[in-house]
Amino acid sequence: MDTHDAAGEDLIRIRATRSGGVISKVAIDLPQRAWMGNSVIGLTPDAAAGLLLEQASHSPRAHACAVCLAAAAAEGQPAPGLDSQIATERTLAAEAADSHLRRLLIDWPPYFGFEPRYSHFAEFHRRLTLNNDTSAEAAFVLGGEILDLVAREMLAGFFNQIRMPHGIGEFIERLNAGGSLGTVLGELIALGASAPPKPRPVPLLGTLSAAAWANEIGSWPPAAFVTRPTYQGEAAETGPLARHAASPLVRLLLERGHRLSARLFAKAIEVGDCASRMRYPFTDDVAPLADAAQATPGVGVARVETARGVLLAWVRVADGVIADCAMIPAGAWNFHPEGAFCREALCATLAPEDHDAALRRLSMLAVACDPSLPYRVELHEEPRGRKRA
């Protein structure tokens, strides 16, 4: 199944095999373009940021921010001033909101027979391309409009009730009391739960500071960490589910076996969080979206939270230019061979599924894990062995 038009090498290829009605194997090929570190070697930090703004496979402002923060930390420069940090926080929040809205308004509705809302998304997309010159007032107003969208289209049924829903049936009723986005999520939940991943769900990656990452990984990340990152020896999931798993509503979905729906609901919650950050950046109760630390003299590490999850960057600076750069995108976590997609793709469904239903489930799982490039899902049936005479 092709979820986006694409050609050439810049395509995520997901190949699954089904045997006896059950998915038994999954393999994923991530193209090199998912890792942008090598593209900036030999450039000044400013030139590198300009290139990433034009060529990054996703979240270009987050990539540009990561390389600039890491390069500055490598050279021992002081942290940016508060005004600059606030502007950066607004810009990153707007970029993440834009990415989430694309998924919610365009990519998800067709799975359940609804038309993509291109014009609605286009209006937000045009205005969400913020930069450091965007006024605080404009960001505040736009953030308010996004909060209204979330409340009206998905969470209205929850805002009108004091107590938590008692079960999945009541959860769906409250979603249907909202708008079209709530209906989409209700349809997804109604498809049914899956058996728990084996041997257990992938751990959820918490929010760590850049200094904590430098302490955990070291002054320079091993090649294996760049391509197949792990935390404390295990594959982990990053992104909205990891950031909002503690939410009572998300937790309810997880406890009832609706991990796919939990990701989509967490994404809706995060749109509201992004809008709040656009209105009130740098509040005391939430960690900033980006920070950096010097790993060792001449080497800096930056951490930037994107819509898809954490983006990490190690940058080595010599004579004013980037001598080496390693960037680890969120997709390297979520599409790790032992990560969230692969482990849940192998989960048995509680109801039997035919080939088309299995392919649809894999495609929805892929979009829920939020790939940064166009992707193709292929499902092959393993021939049944001949019966012995």
Side-chain angles (χ1 to χ4, degrees), residues 22 50 90 101 158 163 166 211 227 234 260 298 317 325 347 356:
V22 176
R90 285 199 181 100
L101 289 175
F158 297 93
R163 64 171 177 79
H166 284 314
T227 56
E234 289 190 277
L260 197 60
V317 176
C325 179
C347 287
D356 290 344

Side-chain angles (χ1 to χ4, degrees), residues 75-87:
E75 296 185 300
Q77 297 178 15
L82 181 59
D83 287 347
S84 177
Q85 292 181 53
I86 288 174

